Amino acid sequence: MWSRLQLSKWFDERLGTRAIRVALFDRNIPKSSPLVEWIYTLGSVLLFFFILQAVTGMMLAMNYVASPDHAFDAARYISTSAPMGQFIRGLHSWGATAMVVVIGAHMLTTFLSGSYKYPRESTWITGVVLFLIVMLFGFTGYLLPWNQKSYWATVVGTNIAGATPYIGQYIVRFFRGGSEVGPQTLTRFYALHVLMLPAALIVFVSVHLFMVVRQGISAPPKRHPEYGRHGINAQLGIDPGLGVGAQLSVDDQRSRAADEYHREKEAGESFYPFYLSKDAVAVLLALSVLVILVLKYPAEIGEIADPASTSYNPRPDWYFLFLFQALKYFPGSMESVAAVMLPGLALLVLVSVPFFDRRMRQHPLDRPIATGFAISALVGVIALTVIGAQSPLLNPYVPELPTVAEGHRLFHELNCAYCHAVNGRGSRIGPDLMLDPLKHDKAWIVVHLERPGEVFRPGARTAMTGLLPEESSDLFDYINELQGGGPYSDKASRLFYRNCGKCHMVAGHGGAKAPDLSGIGLVRSVSFIHRYIEDPKALYSQTKMPPFLQPEGKLTHVEIEDIARFLAHQRTPAPPKN
């Protein structure tokens, strides 16, 4: 049997393991304050999150199907049935958020400490590329659960990319694989997420780590001793010892900085075990916080993506909210300024700053312009994100009734859209389940779904679904919701005009103080309309509409349901105003 020493020698002779160990673990790190030492752990924490995302992503991929017919069910299976599925999916979901936060903090501290300067320009540029890759990971992975939130967030995100002048339409088609978000989009996002982006990540992480080891970790920034007595000279790189007006060249500054760094590194401590132990503690703390978040706030399943929905709130994930909010300040043709020009300018500044800010001043107070730029950008992004998160929903969310939600799921699972359209979206082989009135009652439809051959004439084409009784009942409830929730009474129109007609108009009759409701049935479900009439402020806090449900209002639950059904059947859009 070989001894441990012989085995180590065998590997070293063939792979150079001793030189690798010396380069990685025996290198010295310049001494710094305890706070700065903990800030240095951000890079190791980020590397840990990269590995965690890779491991949990591979586990999720073993149970995932990149198809609109199965993606949602696969995500739900992972969360509800797969062993440890909900925990693993939660780690992956929260890990994506953690990566964005940590890489943002890592870049900010690197910028403020001036660590992008000579000789670490290439390290900084690879870090900027890694930041873009992380953001693309978040963007492409968000669609994969194929629920309403992910679908419409992708619609918004690709629309933002489409605002790019001249090439916007080509960018949209590249991501979507067509004019709309659909099966091709899901396939492309999955390929990007599990094949192309991981490959790019491995390459740039390897280069980045090589440069960190090769150039060494930057020493903590120090103020020039002469700054207080010769402020202007210090900012211009003038050495008071050379006499007033003398100025050190950039090359001389770099030579002195390199000598000073070499002395600090020699006086520092070894990466192993001193700094590696801090990295391990930081990683364990980060993992503990992540596990707490996963257990307290599990990854949601949501509702299956419905491209025909016109009432869902299209809003991106939190790390793109600042861009989403900025678009509101640049309406119309100016959208490209917020969507492309400002982010592009910021990216250009980040990439080029090492080549413009060449003097060896690293302390934030010695670089007031760069520090002010970084702080202003950070405050602006945070402010836009908070405002975007707190902005009122244009389409307040009202959960579907359980049977309606289950019928909605069955509609997609059974591929009913191959024959039936919903509000004009889908095939026209059969009737449009929203726009075409039902010709049969519930009993006939239920029998048709369970035993199609009993209600159709011989030779007629049927879906041949063969559903169970509870499934056919749920599917009918969904169809009934699309049809406006069922019939309304003869009193419904009088109830509407008596209570709502002073402000709202329907079919050319009524007031003009509030929105015309002539086509509301095309964009709102009967459940939403009912909830809104009962208590408008519960769905939209800035509304001036009063509640109508007794005792605060003057209508009963039955009367509100009657009005809601009446409005849900209003499907003729109001003519545009001149």
Side-chain angles (χ1 to χ4, degrees), residues 49-91:
F49 281 136
F50 284 158
I51 297 172
L52 179 68
Q53 291 299 94
V55 173
T56 55
M58 286 187 286
M59 293 179 178
L60 293 174
M62 289 189 289
N63 294 281
Y64 182 77
V65 182
S67 163
D69 296 337
H70 304 289
F72 178 80
D73 289 330
R76 184 171 56 179
Y77 169 79
I78 291 171
S79 293
T80 59
S81 303
M84 297 288 290
Q86 185 176 28
F87 181 72
I88 295 171
R89 183 167 176 247
L91 280 178

Side-chain angles (χ1 to χ4, degrees), residues 287-308:
L287 179 60
S288 300
V289 172
L290 199 66
V291 169
I292 291 172
L293 290 172
V294 170
L295 296 178
K296 191 170 183 179
Y297 305 102
E300 65 177 0
I301 300 175
E303 298 175 351
I304 189 170
D306 182 8

